Amino acid sequence: MKPFWKIFLGIFCYVAAVAGIGLAVLNASQKPAATTYAVLFGAMGVVFLVAAVAVTRKPRY
């Protein structure tokens, strides 16, 4: 994968992770709590965070 696309995908995944975790916190703090959406957004945020770390880490030789 070319470096441009790695950087683009990494930034996209980090932004999506922050948005997903932020939406999870907002949904969990509502009265009454929207637990289903909070878990869904939180899980997607974690998935994007793991993907971002996997894309941006340096290869080990």
Side-chain angles (χ1 to χ4, degrees):
M1 183 182 294
K2 292 185 179 183
F4 171 79
W5 291 111
K6 275 184 130 178
I7 293 169
F8 179 78
L9 186 61
I11 291 171
F12 175 79
C13 286
Y14 277 120
V15 170
V18 169
I21 293 171
L23 285 172
V25 169
L26 287 175
N27 281 316
S29 65
Q30 285 181 349
K31 298 289 182 187
T35 309
T36 306
Y37 289 121
V39 170
L40 180 68
F41 286 132
M44 291 307 295
V46 169
V47 167
F48 275 116
L49 184 62
V50 169
V53 169
V55 168
T56 59
R57 72 180 179 89
K58 292 185 179 183
R60 296 180 187 211
Y61 295 108

